[in-house]
Amino acid sequence: MKRETTGCQIRDANDERRQTSDDRPNASDGLYMHEQVKDILDRVRSEPPNILQSLLALQEQLGHVAADMVPVIAKSLGVTTAEVAGVLSYYPDLRFSAPGRHIIRVCMGESCYANGCGRVLRHLQERLRADVHETMPGGRFTLDTMSCAGNCAVSPTVIVDRDLYGRVLPSQLDRMLEGYK
Amino acid sequence: MAIRLYLSDDTSARAAGAAALADAWSDRPDVQIIRTSSRGAFYLEPMVERDGPDGRIAWFNVSPQDLPAILSGTGGTPVQTIPFLAQQTRYTFANFGETEPLALDEYQARGGLSGLEAAFRLTPDAIIDELRVSQLRGRGGAAFPVWNKWKVAQQAKGAQKYVVANADEGDAGTYCDRMILEGDPFRLLEGMLICARAIGAGRGYVYCRQEYPAAAARLRAAIHKADEAELLELNGEPFPIEVVEGAGSYVCGEETALLESLEGKRGVVRARPPYPAQSGLYGCPTIVSNVLTFATIPQILSRGGSWHASLGTEHSRGTMVLQLGGRVKHPGLVEVPFGLSLHQVLEQFGGGMAPGSRFKAVQVGGPLGSLFPTTGLDMPICYDAFAKAGAVLGHGGIVVYDHETDMVDLARHFMAFTADESCGKCTPCRIGSVRGREILERIQAGSGTMDDLRLLDDLGETMKLASLCALGGRAPYPVLTAIEHFPAEFRSKLRA
Ligand SMILES: Cc1cc2nc3c(=O)[nH]c(=O)nc-3n(C[C@H](O)[C@H](O)[C@H](O)COP(=O)(O)O)c2cc1C
Ligand code: FES
């Protein structure tokens, strides 16, 4: 279960707040969000509705699922806001807020633990000046952990966006990060 | 003519450098690169192979500038003579390193689909009987007899029945399901089809963890190919199989939480009974089995249940797929009949310790598995011996810790994991894991007392006895075995 379940506050869907972090035109417009959410949900609609897959589809398109969207999502799926908020707050991979431009995940599984993932994580925390689950100043990287990438025989493992790195040494990290602007 | 070079397309092989090799050599007109599955000898990856007079010749830990030597054929090793591989008994993993994952014709040429053909010649009852004879037990962790579950699902009434492959592979230190999904996906589909025929299911799902994007993509491609070849049919009716991805929750590997998640809800554990075989997905009879379990089934049908029962030990028949990780010299996948000792596995296959490391402890069975010190290494790898010692084989993960490991920190790491991953439904796990973590943090900070160690013991007993599922029920084991085998380390941190 994910740790910070308090971040999910339900607000009115027409709230004129920024809904996404990107600079798409009108992204901050509540009505526009309404349409966009419905569009995305239409593409994954199923009977009975699948809340998790709907939220994953939204996150895939929008980068995160803001708590403001919950009422619109609930209405569109025909379920309660509590059900949507419950799923949104449960899964570690669902995000309420926009992450940085790149997401770094350090594996903390046992094989990586035995092979020094602690040193890798500490190095990244210092370099990025960000703690786990935080985004570094300037928004270039969000630092995260995970528990096993299935790369245990080539550990320790670090994943940046969709790129997986194995046998990672702290001394290689700076060069590795240079590839992500 | 261009020379054929075989290079693995497995995620770990790519991470070890296979991706860089493929990039570096992609525009060479004198080489033709074939991307295969991985043999699982990951300490040798990236490994490059070519055809030799008596099978493949391999080059190990290759870098781009090794190409001239490979092309001139100097310095290679015949694959058959690599001890790590030669000493294994590979059935489920026989194709690994040999075939292209999505080549259905190669799969078939090497005996693929003959299990399904055998199943078509048998009645559903006879299929289940073959599994009873095989004595196959589930490989996902609980080791329940497979035939028994199938019988229940077959006899249960439902408007629909489902077959669900558990590809959540959450146990850290395990990767054999990932290798099957990426490297031999038709074997999983064949096993699911056999199950569907036996229980009369009309639909299949593969619940794949989000951490395995390459596996999900490969499996979707394999489903598409199988569909084109009209394989996804039973009794003239379509048998669609869909890949559904999870969202990073460990407990969603537990079968009832998995079903909740598949329905799109919070992945919270359901109280059992009813078992999924009676009432599972959307309340219908459902078989939830591990990927490796399904992948083992085709050969049981094609070779016969008694063939499978002839391998292994009395209560653990067949082969076990072990996955070595941590500080061993040779991390990788090992398929052997049950019965070898832990020591044999670590020496014969693991090759001893990684350079500069001294053995401290080994953990078997994932984050909920027990720790064994040097004195515990004569333990035979089979379900009954492990059960007798209060340990589990789980999904076959074996992680070795070296002399630098701080056992107090490791114990805290385990409890913190459970506290993070608890679904929250039952109190012993939800509250117990948090209290357990707090106690261990206190000891780590130097303010713990003897009473804290006693409290941990007491808390562990409560969690073992009263948790709803094995997450809370097994969580105390790695912690308590750490204290049992390394008491001095814990005591030295206590407040005087
Ligand atoms: C906390 C927890 C996590 C589990 N994770 C997995 C998993 O990732 N993969 C798996 O196959 N089984 C997992 N299981 C076991 C399943 O509940 C179930 O027993 C298994 O999928 C049945 O398949 P089998 O009969 O083929 O072993 C887990 C169990 C628990 C309690
Ligand atoms: S433990 Fe890190 S990849 Fe498995």
Side-chain angles (χ1 to χ4, degrees):
Chain A
M1 191 166 59
K2 107 170 120 185
R3 257 160 281 170
E4 339 89 285
T5 45
T6 45
C8 191
Q9 295 163 348
I10 317 294
R11 285 191 226 102
D12 184 8
N14 288 324
D15 193 335
E16 293 269 300
R17 227 171 297 258
R18 266 185 80 80
Q19 309 296 337
T20 57
S21 68
D22 62 17
D23 42 25
R24 245 168 272 166
N26 291 331
S28 59
D29 177 355
L31 262 180
Y32 174 78
M33 178 203 77
H34 235 96
E35 291 307 311
Q36 208 181 6
V37 166
K38 273 209 221 123
D39 261 11
I40 297 167
L41 291 181
D42 276 342
R43 271 178 262 153
V44 293
R45 203 166 286 286
S46 65
E47 193 43 54
N50 190 307
I51 301 172
L52 174 58
Q53 296 305 319
S54 303
L55 296 179
L56 285 172
L58 285 168
Q59 178 160 292
E60 172 84 22
Q61 294 292 315
L62 306 174
H64 69 292
V65 183
D68 318 51
M69 299 179 193
V70 168
V72 188
I73 299 166
K75 190 151 178 249
S76 174
L77 293 178
V79 299
T80 65
T81 51
E83 285 173 299
V84 176
V87 174
L88 181 56
S89 63
Y90 185 79
Y91 289 95
D93 290 345
L94 291 172
R95 295 172 183 278
F96 308 121
S97 56
R101 289 196 293 286
H102 305 285
I103 301 175
I104 304 184
R105 291 186 293 171
V106 180
C107 177
M108 304 304 281
E110 280 71 44
S111 188
C112 290
Y113 181 100
N115 281 312
C117 67
R119 286 191 291 272
V120 172
L121 183 63
R122 272 194 301 280
H123 183 98
L124 285 169
Q125 285 170 318
E126 280 163 24
R127 268 297 181 283
L128 305 181
R129 280 177 290 133
D131 214 335
V132 178
H133 305 313
E134 283 181 6
T135 299
M136 73 184 280
R140 185 165 150 224
F141 289 110
T142 297
L143 184 61
D144 238 327
T145 54
M146 64 190 299
S147 66
C148 192
N151 185 49
C152 330
V154 184
S155 58
T157 306
V158 173
I159 298 183
V160 187
D161 300 336
R162 294 224 142 201
D163 307 330
L164 184 145
Y165 298 87
R167 298 179 187 146
V168 175
L169 297 171
S171 58
Q172 299 167 334
L173 287 166
D174 294 350
R175 257 200 75 201
M176 190 173 107
L177 297 185
E178 274 171 27
Y180 301 89
K181 296 298 170 199
Chain B
M1 217 180 77
I3 292 178
R4 288 161 76 100
L5 298 183
Y6 302 90
L7 183 61
S8 166
D9 199 20
D10 175 274
T11 291
S12 283
R14 283 203 306 270
L21 294 181
D23 277 351
W25 301 341
S26 63
D27 49 8
R28 299 271 312 212
D30 49 346
V31 299
Q32 181 199 1
I33 295 177
I34 315 275
R35 302 303 295 268
T36 63
S37 47
S38 170
R39 294 190 189 274
F42 287 110
Y43 64 103
L44 302 176
E45 295 280 10
M47 188 158 134
V48 176
E49 300 177 18
R50 345 174 3 176
D51 291 309
D54 304 302
R56 302 257 187 92
I57 317 277
W59 282 260
F60 308 143
N61 306 114
V62 173
S63 53
Q65 47 297 7
D66 296 332
L67 187 61
I70 297 171
L71 292 182
S72 68
T74 47
T77 306
V79 169
Q80 296 166 5
T81 66
I82 302 171
F84 180 87
L85 296 170
Q87 296 174 49
Q88 298 193 29
T89 310
R90 287 214 170 170
Y91 290 109
T92 307
F93 281 81
N95 284 354
F96 281 74
E98 296 284 334
T99 54
E100 291 176 85
L102 291 175
L104 187 54
D105 50 342
E106 281 184 62
Y107 178 65
Q108 228 170 332
R110 298 174 137 264
L113 301 183
S114 55
L116 184 60
E117 280 155 22
F120 281 136
R121 290 191 296 271
L122 297 173
T123 63
D125 282 328
I127 298 174
I128 294 175
D129 204 49
E130 209 56 49
L131 281 167
R132 188 184 53 74
V133 171
S134 79
Q135 299 185 47
L136 174 68
R137 298 167 66 167
R139 301 291 193 241
F144 193 74
V146 173
W147 75 273
N148 212 325
K149 216 153 90 171
W150 288 23
K151 191 89 206 163
V152 172
Q154 186 206 22
Q155 290 176 345
K157 299 230 172 344
Q160 175 67 286
K161 291 183 187 179
Y162 297 102
V163 174
V164 177
N166 187 342
D168 201 52
E169 194 157 68
D171 283 4
T174 66
Y175 43 86
C176 71
D177 294 348
R178 181 186 61 67
M179 286 181 67
I180 292 169
L181 298 164
E182 290 187 26
D184 208 9
F186 296 118
R187 191 169 300 276
L188 166 64
L189 299 181
E190 188 179 350
M192 291 177 72
L193 281 160
I194 294 169
C195 176
R197 170 159 167 83
I199 68 162
R203 226 187 153 84
Y205 290 96
V206 179
Y207 185 88
C208 183
R209 64 204 299 254
Q210 164 286 137
E211 292 85 346
Y212 286 180
R218 185 68 51 76
L219 187 62
R220 287 199 176 102
I223 290 171
H224 186 71
K225 278 212 146 182
D227 196 26
E228 277 181 346
E230 296 178 1
L231 288 174
L232 302 184
E233 280 177 20
L234 291 169
N235 307 322
E237 296 284 324
F239 180 77
I241 299 180
E242 194 184 325
V243 181
V244 176
E245 282 173 85
S249 157
Y250 173 73
V251 80
C252 283
E254 193 282 334
E255 56 187 12
T256 61
L258 183 150
L259 294 172
E260 289 289 302
S261 184
L262 205 50
E263 292 178 12
K265 303 177 192 155
R266 288 164 74 94
V268 172
V269 174
R270 296 177 185 168
R272 297 171 300 181
Y275 291 91
Q278 305 160 299
S279 171
L281 190 62
Y282 302 113
C284 297
T286 304
I287 287 294
V288 181
S289 267
N290 175 253
V291 167
L292 176 61
T293 309
F294 280 121
T296 307
I297 285 165
Q299 290 190 65
I300 291 178
L301 270 291
S302 62
R303 294 170 184 261
S306 47
W307 159 78
H308 186 264
S310 73
L311 299 162
T313 65
E314 192 184 349
H315 297 290
S316 312
R317 304 299 172 109
T319 58
M320 183 65 192
V321 175
L322 303 167
Q323 298 127 79
L324 307 185
R327 296 302 294 161
V328 279
K329 192 167 172 195
H330 298 163
L333 178 127
V334 176
E335 182 180 359
V336 282
F338 285 94
L340 291 188
S341 73
L342 259 177
H343 178 80
Q344 277 174 306
V345 169
L346 294 181
E347 288 303 316
Q348 220 167 300
F349 297 99
M353 296 298 291
S357 280
R358 289 194 305 281
F359 179 91
K360 184 157 187 180
V362 59
Q363 185 178 24
V364 185
L368 308 176
S370 305
L371 291 169
F372 297 88
T374 324
T375 50
L377 296 184
D378 50 1
M379 173 71 83
I381 303 221
C382 59
Y383 295 121
D384 15 336
F386 268 67
K388 228 159 118 194
V392 285
L393 276 177
H395 189 45
I398 297 188
V399 174
V400 174
Y401 300 96
D402 73 6
H403 63 285
E404 287 188 9
T405 310
D406 172 347
M407 285 296 159
V408 178
D409 184 62
L410 185 61
R412 180 209 50 82
H413 166 90
F414 291 135
M415 264 303 170
F417 173 78
T418 305
D420 276 354
E421 298 294 341
S422 175
C423 81
K425 180 141 169 175
C426 73
T427 318
C429 178
R430 183 184 66 241
I431 310 279
S433 57
V434 174
R435 290 292 99 84
R437 188 194 64 205
E438 288 167 356
I439 296 172
L440 285 158
E441 282 171 351
R442 202 151 60 223
I443 296 173
Q444 202 173 22
S447 53
T449 62
M450 271 312 278
D451 277 344
D452 279 324
L453 285 183
R454 276 190 286 273
L455 200 55
L456 260 183
D457 211 47
D458 195 46
L459 181 71
E461 283 311 305
T462 308
M463 289 177 72
K464 284 183 198 175
L465 293 172
S467 295
L468 192 57
C469 84
L471 178 52
R474 291 275 339 160
Y477 283 87
V479 175
L480 296 181
T481 49
I483 301 175
E484 178 191 342
H485 300 307
F486 304 93
E489 261 181 71
F490 286 82
R491 292 223 185 93
S492 72
K493 291 230 160 93
L494 299 180
R495 187 155 46 103

